[in-house]
Short mmCIF file of all heavy atoms in Angstrom, two decimals:
data_model
loop_
_atom_site.label_atom_id
_atom_site.label_comp_id
_atom_site.label_asym_id
_atom_site.label_seq_id
_atom_site.Cartn_x
_atom_site.Cartn_y
_atom_site.Cartn_z
N MET U 383 -36.15 -42.90 -1.60
CA MET U 383 -35.65 -43.96 -0.82
C MET U 383 -34.15 -44.03 -1.02
O MET U 383 -33.64 -43.83 -2.15
CB MET U 383 -36.29 -45.23 -1.27
CG MET U 383 -36.05 -46.45 -0.36
SD MET U 383 -37.02 -47.94 -0.80
CE MET U 383 -38.65 -47.35 -0.51
N PRO U 384 -33.41 -44.32 0.02
CA PRO U 384 -31.90 -44.39 -0.16
C PRO U 384 -31.43 -45.43 -1.11
O PRO U 384 -32.10 -46.44 -1.34
CB PRO U 384 -31.45 -44.75 1.28
CG PRO U 384 -32.57 -44.36 2.16
CD PRO U 384 -33.82 -44.57 1.35
N GLN U 385 -30.24 -45.22 -1.67
CA GLN U 385 -29.65 -46.18 -2.58
C GLN U 385 -28.34 -46.62 -1.95
O GLN U 385 -27.59 -45.79 -1.32
CB GLN U 385 -29.44 -45.60 -3.97
CG GLN U 385 -30.72 -45.41 -4.68
CD GLN U 385 -30.55 -45.02 -6.12
OE1 GLN U 385 -29.55 -44.36 -6.48
NE2 GLN U 385 -31.46 -45.38 -7.01
N TYR U 386 -27.95 -47.86 -2.20
CA TYR U 386 -26.76 -48.47 -1.69
C TYR U 386 -25.90 -48.98 -2.83
O TYR U 386 -26.43 -49.67 -3.69
CB TYR U 386 -27.05 -49.57 -0.69
CG TYR U 386 -27.72 -49.14 0.52
CD1 TYR U 386 -29.12 -48.91 0.63
CD2 TYR U 386 -27.00 -48.84 1.70
CE1 TYR U 386 -29.74 -48.48 1.69
CE2 TYR U 386 -27.69 -48.43 2.85
CZ TYR U 386 -29.03 -48.21 2.89
OH TYR U 386 -29.63 -47.79 3.97
N LEU U 387 -24.59 -48.70 -2.83
CA LEU U 387 -23.70 -49.27 -3.83
C LEU U 387 -23.07 -50.50 -3.23
O LEU U 387 -22.43 -50.42 -2.19
CB LEU U 387 -22.60 -48.29 -4.30
CG LEU U 387 -21.56 -48.83 -5.22
CD1 LEU U 387 -22.26 -49.19 -6.54
CD2 LEU U 387 -20.46 -47.79 -5.42
N ILE U 388 -23.31 -51.66 -3.88
CA ILE U 388 -22.77 -52.94 -3.35
C ILE U 388 -21.64 -53.33 -4.35
O ILE U 388 -21.92 -53.49 -5.55
CB ILE U 388 -23.89 -54.01 -3.34
CG1 ILE U 388 -25.05 -53.54 -2.44
CG2 ILE U 388 -23.28 -55.31 -2.78
CD1 ILE U 388 -26.28 -54.42 -2.51
N LYS U 389 -20.48 -53.59 -3.79
CA LYS U 389 -19.34 -54.08 -4.56
C LYS U 389 -19.02 -55.56 -4.11
O LYS U 389 -18.99 -55.78 -2.92
CB LYS U 389 -18.13 -53.20 -4.41
CG LYS U 389 -18.35 -51.84 -5.01
CD LYS U 389 -17.07 -51.03 -5.06
CE LYS U 389 -17.31 -49.71 -5.73
NZ LYS U 389 -16.14 -48.92 -5.83
N TYR U 390 -18.85 -56.39 -5.07
CA TYR U 390 -18.64 -57.81 -4.83
C TYR U 390 -17.21 -58.19 -5.05
O TYR U 390 -16.43 -57.46 -5.76
CB TYR U 390 -19.51 -58.63 -5.75
CG TYR U 390 -20.95 -58.44 -5.51
CD1 TYR U 390 -21.72 -57.60 -6.30
CD2 TYR U 390 -21.63 -59.12 -4.41
CE1 TYR U 390 -23.07 -57.42 -6.03
CE2 TYR U 390 -22.98 -58.94 -4.19
CZ TYR U 390 -23.71 -58.08 -4.95
OH TYR U 390 -25.03 -57.87 -4.70
N LEU U 391 -16.73 -59.26 -4.38
CA LEU U 391 -15.33 -59.72 -4.48
C LEU U 391 -14.98 -60.07 -5.96
O LEU U 391 -13.81 -60.04 -6.27
CB LEU U 391 -15.14 -60.84 -3.58
CG LEU U 391 -15.25 -60.59 -2.06
CD1 LEU U 391 -15.12 -61.87 -1.27
CD2 LEU U 391 -14.20 -59.55 -1.65
N ASP U 392 -15.91 -60.45 -6.76
CA ASP U 392 -15.62 -60.86 -8.14
C ASP U 392 -15.54 -59.70 -9.04
O ASP U 392 -15.37 -59.84 -10.30
CB ASP U 392 -16.68 -61.84 -8.64
CG ASP U 392 -18.07 -61.33 -8.68
OD1 ASP U 392 -18.25 -60.10 -8.44
OD2 ASP U 392 -18.98 -62.12 -8.96
N GLY U 393 -15.61 -58.42 -8.57
CA GLY U 393 -15.51 -57.21 -9.36
C GLY U 393 -16.84 -56.67 -9.81
O GLY U 393 -16.85 -55.53 -10.33
N ASP U 394 -17.89 -57.37 -9.71
CA ASP U 394 -19.25 -56.83 -10.07
C ASP U 394 -19.67 -55.86 -9.03
O ASP U 394 -19.21 -55.82 -7.87
CB ASP U 394 -20.26 -57.93 -10.14
CG ASP U 394 -20.10 -58.85 -11.35
OD1 ASP U 394 -19.36 -58.39 -12.34
OD2 ASP U 394 -20.67 -59.92 -11.39
N SER U 395 -20.64 -55.01 -9.45
CA SER U 395 -21.24 -54.07 -8.49
C SER U 395 -22.69 -53.79 -8.92
O SER U 395 -23.03 -54.08 -10.07
CB SER U 395 -20.45 -52.71 -8.45
OG SER U 395 -20.52 -52.08 -9.69
N GLU U 396 -23.52 -53.31 -7.99
CA GLU U 396 -24.85 -52.97 -8.29
C GLU U 396 -25.32 -51.96 -7.33
O GLU U 396 -24.78 -51.79 -6.27
CB GLU U 396 -25.72 -54.26 -8.18
CG GLU U 396 -25.97 -54.78 -6.86
CD GLU U 396 -26.97 -55.93 -6.79
OE1 GLU U 396 -28.04 -55.86 -7.43
OE2 GLU U 396 -26.58 -56.93 -6.19
N THR U 397 -26.38 -51.22 -7.75
CA THR U 397 -27.03 -50.24 -6.89
C THR U 397 -28.37 -50.83 -6.48
O THR U 397 -29.18 -51.28 -7.28
CB THR U 397 -27.19 -48.92 -7.61
OG1 THR U 397 -25.93 -48.42 -8.05
CG2 THR U 397 -27.84 -47.90 -6.73
N LEU U 398 -28.65 -50.75 -5.18
CA LEU U 398 -29.87 -51.26 -4.60
C LEU U 398 -30.60 -50.16 -3.89
O LEU U 398 -30.04 -49.34 -3.25
CB LEU U 398 -29.47 -52.35 -3.55
CG LEU U 398 -30.62 -52.99 -2.76
CD1 LEU U 398 -31.43 -53.89 -3.71
CD2 LEU U 398 -30.04 -53.75 -1.61
N THR U 399 -31.93 -50.08 -4.16
CA THR U 399 -32.77 -49.09 -3.54
C THR U 399 -33.48 -49.78 -2.35
O THR U 399 -34.16 -50.78 -2.55
CB THR U 399 -33.81 -48.56 -4.49
OG1 THR U 399 -33.09 -47.91 -5.59
CG2 THR U 399 -34.69 -47.50 -3.83
N ALA U 400 -33.26 -49.26 -1.11
CA ALA U 400 -33.88 -49.82 0.09
C ALA U 400 -33.89 -48.82 1.21
O ALA U 400 -33.07 -47.94 1.21
CB ALA U 400 -33.06 -51.11 0.49
N GLU U 401 -34.76 -49.03 2.15
CA GLU U 401 -34.85 -48.15 3.32
C GLU U 401 -33.57 -48.34 4.15
O GLU U 401 -33.02 -47.40 4.63
CB GLU U 401 -36.09 -48.44 4.19
CG GLU U 401 -37.35 -47.92 3.57
CD GLU U 401 -37.45 -46.41 3.56
OE1 GLU U 401 -36.85 -45.77 4.41
OE2 GLU U 401 -38.06 -45.91 2.61
N ARG U 402 -33.13 -49.60 4.29
CA ARG U 402 -31.99 -49.94 5.07
C ARG U 402 -31.43 -51.27 4.71
O ARG U 402 -32.16 -52.06 4.17
CB ARG U 402 -32.24 -49.82 6.58
CG ARG U 402 -33.07 -50.93 7.14
CD ARG U 402 -33.30 -50.72 8.68
NE ARG U 402 -33.74 -51.92 9.30
CZ ARG U 402 -35.01 -52.32 9.36
NH1 ARG U 402 -35.97 -51.59 8.87
NH2 ARG U 402 -35.25 -53.47 9.96
N VAL U 403 -30.11 -51.51 5.05
CA VAL U 403 -29.51 -52.81 4.82
C VAL U 403 -28.88 -53.21 6.17
O VAL U 403 -28.04 -52.47 6.71
CB VAL U 403 -28.42 -52.76 3.69
CG1 VAL U 403 -27.77 -54.11 3.56
CG2 VAL U 403 -29.06 -52.31 2.37
N ASP U 404 -29.24 -54.42 6.64
CA ASP U 404 -28.77 -54.88 7.93
C ASP U 404 -27.90 -56.12 7.72
O ASP U 404 -28.22 -56.97 6.83
CB ASP U 404 -29.98 -55.21 8.87
CG ASP U 404 -30.79 -54.08 9.20
OD1 ASP U 404 -30.23 -52.91 9.30
OD2 ASP U 404 -32.00 -54.27 9.46
N ALA U 405 -26.90 -56.31 8.53
CA ALA U 405 -26.09 -57.52 8.55
C ALA U 405 -26.85 -58.49 9.51
O ALA U 405 -27.34 -58.17 10.56
CB ALA U 405 -24.71 -57.30 9.09
N SER U 406 -26.93 -59.77 9.02
CA SER U 406 -27.63 -60.80 9.85
C SER U 406 -26.95 -62.13 9.56
O SER U 406 -27.25 -62.77 8.57
CB SER U 406 -29.08 -60.85 9.42
OG SER U 406 -29.72 -61.83 10.21
N GLY U 407 -26.03 -62.47 10.43
CA GLY U 407 -25.36 -63.72 10.27
C GLY U 407 -24.49 -63.71 9.02
O GLY U 407 -23.62 -62.86 8.80
N SER U 408 -24.70 -64.70 8.14
CA SER U 408 -23.90 -64.79 6.89
C SER U 408 -24.55 -64.10 5.73
O SER U 408 -24.15 -64.42 4.57
CB SER U 408 -23.69 -66.28 6.58
OG SER U 408 -24.94 -66.93 6.28
N GLN U 409 -25.44 -63.16 5.97
CA GLN U 409 -26.07 -62.45 4.87
C GLN U 409 -26.44 -61.00 5.30
O GLN U 409 -26.36 -60.64 6.41
CB GLN U 409 -27.34 -63.15 4.49
CG GLN U 409 -28.43 -63.19 5.48
CD GLN U 409 -29.65 -63.99 5.13
OE1 GLN U 409 -29.66 -64.60 4.07
NE2 GLN U 409 -30.59 -64.12 6.05
N TYR U 410 -26.75 -60.25 4.22
CA TYR U 410 -27.26 -58.89 4.45
C TYR U 410 -28.74 -58.91 4.03
O TYR U 410 -29.13 -59.60 3.07
CB TYR U 410 -26.53 -57.86 3.59
CG TYR U 410 -25.05 -57.69 4.06
CD1 TYR U 410 -24.05 -58.36 3.40
CD2 TYR U 410 -24.79 -56.87 5.09
CE1 TYR U 410 -22.75 -58.16 3.76
CE2 TYR U 410 -23.48 -56.68 5.48
CZ TYR U 410 -22.41 -57.38 4.85
OH TYR U 410 -21.17 -57.19 5.21
N ILE U 411 -29.53 -58.18 4.77
CA ILE U 411 -30.99 -58.09 4.45
C ILE U 411 -31.37 -56.66 4.04
O ILE U 411 -31.02 -55.77 4.86
CB ILE U 411 -31.85 -58.56 5.65
CG1 ILE U 411 -31.47 -59.99 6.00
CG2 ILE U 411 -33.31 -58.46 5.22
CD1 ILE U 411 -32.16 -60.43 7.25
N ALA U 412 -31.90 -56.48 2.85
CA ALA U 412 -32.32 -55.10 2.46
C ALA U 412 -33.79 -55.01 2.61
O ALA U 412 -34.59 -55.81 2.16
CB ALA U 412 -31.96 -54.86 0.95
N TRP U 413 -34.19 -53.92 3.33
CA TRP U 413 -35.60 -53.65 3.68
C TRP U 413 -36.21 -52.53 2.90
O TRP U 413 -35.56 -51.51 2.72
CB TRP U 413 -35.72 -53.32 5.17
CG TRP U 413 -35.18 -54.38 6.07
CD1 TRP U 413 -33.92 -54.58 6.47
CD2 TRP U 413 -35.85 -55.43 6.64
NE1 TRP U 413 -33.70 -55.59 7.32
CE2 TRP U 413 -34.90 -56.25 7.42
CE3 TRP U 413 -37.21 -55.88 6.63
CZ2 TRP U 413 -35.33 -57.40 8.10
CZ3 TRP U 413 -37.63 -56.98 7.36
CH2 TRP U 413 -36.66 -57.72 8.08
N VAL U 414 -37.40 -52.62 2.42
CA VAL U 414 -38.10 -51.56 1.70
C VAL U 414 -39.20 -50.98 2.58
O VAL U 414 -39.68 -49.85 2.25
CB VAL U 414 -38.69 -52.07 0.37
CG1 VAL U 414 -37.67 -52.37 -0.64
CG2 VAL U 414 -39.70 -53.21 0.60
N GLY U 415 -39.57 -51.54 3.69
CA GLY U 415 -40.54 -51.04 4.59
C GLY U 415 -40.50 -51.86 5.85
O GLY U 415 -39.77 -52.76 5.95
N GLU U 416 -41.28 -51.46 6.83
CA GLU U 416 -41.28 -52.17 8.10
C GLU U 416 -41.73 -53.59 7.86
O GLU U 416 -42.94 -53.83 7.50
CB GLU U 416 -42.19 -51.41 9.07
CG GLU U 416 -41.94 -51.81 10.44
CD GLU U 416 -40.52 -51.63 10.98
OE1 GLU U 416 -39.92 -50.57 10.62
OE2 GLU U 416 -40.03 -52.50 11.66
N GLY U 417 -40.84 -54.49 7.98
CA GLY U 417 -41.19 -55.91 7.84
C GLY U 417 -41.21 -56.41 6.39
O GLY U 417 -41.47 -57.53 6.11
N SER U 418 -40.87 -55.59 5.36
CA SER U 418 -40.87 -55.95 3.98
C SER U 418 -39.44 -56.11 3.43
O SER U 418 -38.69 -55.09 3.38
CB SER U 418 -41.63 -54.99 3.10
OG SER U 418 -42.94 -54.94 3.50
N VAL U 419 -39.03 -57.30 3.12
CA VAL U 419 -37.66 -57.55 2.64
C VAL U 419 -37.63 -57.45 1.12
O VAL U 419 -38.50 -58.02 0.42
CB VAL U 419 -37.16 -58.96 3.06
CG1 VAL U 419 -35.84 -59.28 2.40
CG2 VAL U 419 -37.08 -59.03 4.60
N THR U 420 -36.68 -56.72 0.62
CA THR U 420 -36.54 -56.65 -0.94
C THR U 420 -35.56 -57.69 -1.46
O THR U 420 -35.75 -58.23 -2.52
CB THR U 420 -36.09 -55.23 -1.36
OG1 THR U 420 -36.13 -55.23 -2.80
CG2 THR U 420 -34.78 -54.84 -0.89
N THR U 421 -34.48 -57.97 -0.63
CA THR U 421 -33.51 -58.98 -1.09
C THR U 421 -32.64 -59.47 0.03
O THR U 421 -32.49 -58.75 1.08
CB THR U 421 -32.60 -58.44 -2.20
OG1 THR U 421 -31.88 -59.47 -2.77
CG2 THR U 421 -31.67 -57.37 -1.68
N TYR U 422 -32.15 -60.67 -0.08
CA TYR U 422 -31.09 -61.24 0.79
C TYR U 422 -29.85 -61.31 -0.03
O TYR U 422 -29.81 -61.72 -1.17
CB TYR U 422 -31.50 -62.63 1.24
CG TYR U 422 -32.76 -62.64 2.12
CD1 TYR U 422 -33.96 -62.91 1.51
CD2 TYR U 422 -32.63 -62.54 3.46
CE1 TYR U 422 -35.14 -62.93 2.30
CE2 TYR U 422 -33.78 -62.50 4.25
CZ TYR U 422 -35.03 -62.73 3.67
OH TYR U 422 -36.16 -62.78 4.42
N ILE U 423 -28.71 -60.88 0.54
CA ILE U 423 -27.44 -60.89 -0.08
C ILE U 423 -26.45 -61.67 0.74
O ILE U 423 -26.20 -61.42 1.92
CB ILE U 423 -26.89 -59.46 -0.26
CG1 ILE U 423 -27.93 -58.58 -0.96
CG2 ILE U 423 -25.55 -59.39 -1.01
CD1 ILE U 423 -27.66 -57.12 -0.75
N SER U 424 -25.84 -62.68 0.08
CA SER U 424 -24.78 -63.50 0.81
C SER U 424 -23.62 -62.67 1.08
O SER U 424 -23.04 -62.02 0.24
CB SER U 424 -24.43 -64.71 -0.07
OG SER U 424 -23.34 -65.37 0.53
N ALA U 425 -23.19 -62.63 2.37
CA ALA U 425 -22.02 -61.84 2.79
C ALA U 425 -20.71 -62.43 2.26
O ALA U 425 -19.72 -61.70 2.20
CB ALA U 425 -21.97 -61.73 4.34
N ALA U 426 -20.72 -63.70 1.85
CA ALA U 426 -19.46 -64.31 1.44
C ALA U 426 -18.85 -63.74 0.20
O ALA U 426 -17.63 -63.79 0.06
CB ALA U 426 -19.75 -65.80 1.13
N ASN U 427 -19.61 -63.00 -0.61
CA ASN U 427 -19.10 -62.43 -1.88
C ASN U 427 -19.15 -60.86 -1.83
O ASN U 427 -18.78 -60.26 -2.80
CB ASN U 427 -19.91 -62.91 -3.08
CG ASN U 427 -19.32 -62.52 -4.42
OD1 ASN U 427 -18.05 -62.44 -4.56
ND2 ASN U 427 -20.10 -62.17 -5.38
N VAL U 428 -19.45 -60.29 -0.66
CA VAL U 428 -19.51 -58.78 -0.59
C VAL U 428 -18.25 -58.20 -0.18
O VAL U 428 -17.71 -58.55 0.87
CB VAL U 428 -20.65 -58.40 0.35
CG1 VAL U 428 -20.68 -56.89 0.52
CG2 VAL U 428 -22.04 -58.88 -0.26
N ARG U 429 -17.75 -57.24 -0.99
CA ARG U 429 -16.56 -56.43 -0.53
C ARG U 429 -17.01 -55.26 0.30
O ARG U 429 -16.38 -55.00 1.30
CB ARG U 429 -15.82 -55.95 -1.77
CG ARG U 429 -14.55 -55.11 -1.46
CD ARG U 429 -13.86 -54.63 -2.70
NE ARG U 429 -13.50 -55.65 -3.54
CZ ARG U 429 -12.39 -56.44 -3.48
NH1 ARG U 429 -11.53 -56.21 -2.57
NH2 ARG U 429 -12.14 -57.38 -4.35
N SER U 430 -18.05 -54.54 -0.15
CA SER U 430 -18.55 -53.43 0.60
C SER U 430 -20.01 -53.05 0.22
O SER U 430 -20.41 -53.34 -0.86
CB SER U 430 -17.67 -52.13 0.35
OG SER U 430 -17.73 -51.77 -1.03
N ILE U 431 -20.68 -52.43 1.14
CA ILE U 431 -21.95 -51.86 0.91
C ILE U 431 -21.92 -50.42 1.42
O ILE U 431 -21.66 -50.16 2.63
CB ILE U 431 -23.10 -52.63 1.63
CG1 ILE U 431 -23.14 -54.07 1.11
CG2 ILE U 431 -24.42 -51.90 1.44
CD1 ILE U 431 -24.16 -54.93 1.80
N VAL U 432 -22.12 -49.48 0.57
CA VAL U 432 -22.08 -48.03 0.95
C VAL U 432 -23.36 -47.32 0.57
O VAL U 432 -23.82 -47.35 -0.54
CB VAL U 432 -20.85 -47.33 0.22
CG1 VAL U 432 -20.77 -45.87 0.55
CG2 VAL U 432 -19.58 -48.09 0.50
N ARG U 433 -23.94 -46.67 1.58
CA ARG U 433 -25.12 -45.82 1.32
C ARG U 433 -24.67 -44.62 0.55
O ARG U 433 -23.74 -43.88 0.94
CB ARG U 433 -25.76 -45.43 2.60
CG ARG U 433 -27.07 -44.64 2.39
CD ARG U 433 -27.75 -44.34 3.72
NE ARG U 433 -28.86 -43.42 3.45
CZ ARG U 433 -29.89 -43.32 4.25
NH1 ARG U 433 -29.98 -44.11 5.29
NH2 ARG U 433 -30.85 -42.54 3.95
N GLN U 434 -25.38 -44.34 -0.57
CA GLN U 434 -24.99 -43.19 -1.47
C GLN U 434 -25.58 -41.91 -0.94
O GLN U 434 -26.76 -41.87 -0.40
CB GLN U 434 -25.52 -43.43 -2.85
CG GLN U 434 -24.91 -44.70 -3.51
CD GLN U 434 -23.40 -44.63 -3.60
OE1 GLN U 434 -22.93 -43.80 -4.41
NE2 GLN U 434 -22.70 -45.40 -2.82
N PRO U 435 -24.90 -40.79 -1.06
CA PRO U 435 -25.41 -39.52 -0.66
C PRO U 435 -26.65 -39.19 -1.42
O PRO U 435 -26.83 -39.61 -2.56
CB PRO U 435 -24.28 -38.50 -0.97
CG PRO U 435 -23.05 -39.33 -1.05
CD PRO U 435 -23.50 -40.67 -1.51
N GLU U 436 -27.55 -38.49 -0.79
CA GLU U 436 -28.85 -38.18 -1.38
C GLU U 436 -28.76 -37.55 -2.85
O GLU U 436 -29.48 -37.93 -3.73
CB GLU U 436 -29.68 -37.24 -0.53
CG GLU U 436 -30.16 -37.89 0.83
CD GLU U 436 -31.14 -38.98 0.60
OE1 GLU U 436 -31.99 -38.83 -0.31
OE2 GLU U 436 -31.07 -39.95 1.25
N GLU U 437 -27.81 -36.62 -3.06
CA GLU U 437 -27.71 -35.93 -4.31
C GLU U 437 -27.26 -36.90 -5.42
O GLU U 437 -27.66 -36.88 -6.54
CB GLU U 437 -26.82 -34.66 -4.30
CG GLU U 437 -25.38 -34.95 -3.74
CD GLU U 437 -25.28 -34.90 -2.25
OE1 GLU U 437 -26.25 -34.70 -1.55
OE2 GLU U 437 -24.14 -35.08 -1.81
N GLU U 438 -26.39 -37.92 -5.07
CA GLU U 438 -25.93 -38.90 -6.09
C GLU U 438 -27.08 -39.91 -6.38
O GLU U 438 -27.22 -40.31 -7.50
CB GLU U 438 -24.80 -39.66 -5.52
CG GLU U 438 -23.47 -38.95 -5.60
CD GLU U 438 -22.31 -39.78 -5.15
OE1 GLU U 438 -22.37 -40.98 -5.32
OE2 GLU U 438 -21.39 -39.15 -4.61
N ALA U 439 -27.91 -40.19 -5.38
CA ALA U 439 -29.06 -41.16 -5.56
C ALA U 439 -30.07 -40.55 -6.56
O ALA U 439 -30.80 -41.32 -7.22
CB ALA U 439 -29.62 -41.47 -4.20
N ARG U 440 -30.28 -39.24 -6.54
CA ARG U 440 -31.31 -38.64 -7.35
C ARG U 440 -30.89 -38.48 -8.83
O ARG U 440 -31.64 -38.33 -9.71
CB ARG U 440 -31.60 -37.20 -6.86
CG ARG U 440 -32.56 -37.29 -5.70
CD ARG U 440 -33.02 -35.91 -5.29
NE ARG U 440 -32.41 -35.74 -3.93
CZ ARG U 440 -31.85 -34.67 -3.51
NH1 ARG U 440 -31.74 -33.57 -4.28
NH2 ARG U 440 -31.41 -34.58 -2.31
N SER U 441 -29.55 -38.51 -9.15
CA SER U 441 -29.06 -38.30 -10.53
C SER U 441 -29.06 -39.58 -11.32
O SER U 441 -29.33 -40.64 -10.92
CB SER U 441 -27.70 -37.69 -10.51
OG SER U 441 -26.80 -38.40 -9.79
#
């Protein structure tokens, strides 16, 4: 499953495993399957969300 590197405005970062991440109004929604949400992320504190290349996600 793809991994996404999320960087926040406060300097924190995290890696999230999800099928996809969609922007929806004032938040991002991370999906693990068709119709299954893994997390909601407030867009107010997000600097960037970058899908990691497959080889980096496996290591």
Side-chain angles (χ1 to χ4, degrees):
M383 190 172 299
Q385 291 189 328
Y386 295 84
L387 176 61
I388 304 169
K389 292 189 177 184
Y390 296 99
L391 295 175
D392 62 7
D394 288 342
S395 64
E396 69 177 312
T397 301
L398 176 70
T399 301
E401 285 293 328
R402 70 180 199 274
V403 177
D404 297 328
S406 179
S408 63
Q409 64 186 359
Y410 294 98
I411 303 172
W413 302 88
V414 291
E416 198 58 41
S418 298
V419 173
T420 185
T421 191
Y422 295 94
I423 305 163
S424 173
N427 189 35
V428 173
R429 179 180 306 272
S430 64
I431 299 177
V432 179
R433 183 176 172 155
Q434 299 300 290
E436 293 293 323
E437 58 273 2
E438 285 184 30
R440 281 186 246 136
S441 55

